[in-house]
């Protein structure tokens, strides 16, 4: 599911249940079918008119990321596969 950012904000003073996650980005996304949903943003910050794609639902909340960008898990996996100069010396 893909869409475009209609509006967004950064939450710095989060409700008690989410204080450990602050700051985080919330957005209203206009989906390609014209409906709008509120969701969280994963990864790099987005702005109005940025294209996004649905990553997953967590506890009933849709999570989006910038279209074409990789997830945090993919970034971590790629980082773990990189060889450091110390590893090449044997």
């Amino acid at each position: 599911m893909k869409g475009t950012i209609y509006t967004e904000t950064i939450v710095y003073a989060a409700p008690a249940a989410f204080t450990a996650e602050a700051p985080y980005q919330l957005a209203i996304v206009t989906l390609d079918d014209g409906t709008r949903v509120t969701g969280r943003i994963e990864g790099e910050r987005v702005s109005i008119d940025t294209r996004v794609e649905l990553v997953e639902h967590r506890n009933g909340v849709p999570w989006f990321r910038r279209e074409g960008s990789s997830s945090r898990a993919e970034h971590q996996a790629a980082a773990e596969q990189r060889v450091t100069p110390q590893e090449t010396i044997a």
Side-chain angles (χ1 to χ4, degrees):
M1 187 178 314
K2 296 182 180 185
T4 303
I5 299 296
Y6 174 73
T7 190
E8 56 79 29
T9 191
I10 302 294
V11 176
Y12 293 98
F18 302 101
T19 55
E21 299 176 32
Y24 56 88
Q25 189 174 27
L26 291 176
I28 297 176
V29 178
T30 303
L31 301 176
D32 289 345
D33 68 4
T35 59
R36 288 189 177 145
V37 296
T38 301
R40 296 271 304 263
I41 302 299
E42 175 185 273
E44 64 183 286
R45 185 172 178 183
V46 298
S47 57
I48 293 171
D49 292 330
T50 301
R51 292 286 298 164
V52 293
E53 58 192 352
L54 181 67
V55 177
E56 64 182 324
H57 283 85
R58 297 182 204 163
N59 299 318
V61 177
W63 283 70
F64 294 88
R65 69 174 172 229
R66 185 180 296 269
E67 190 175 58
S69 68
S70 57
S71 70
R72 289 181 190 164
E74 291 168 331
H75 282 293
Q76 286 178 325
E80 290 171 3
Q81 291 179 357
R82 291 189 189 111
V83 177
T84 64
Q86 294 159 338
E87 292 173 333
T88 59
I89 300 171

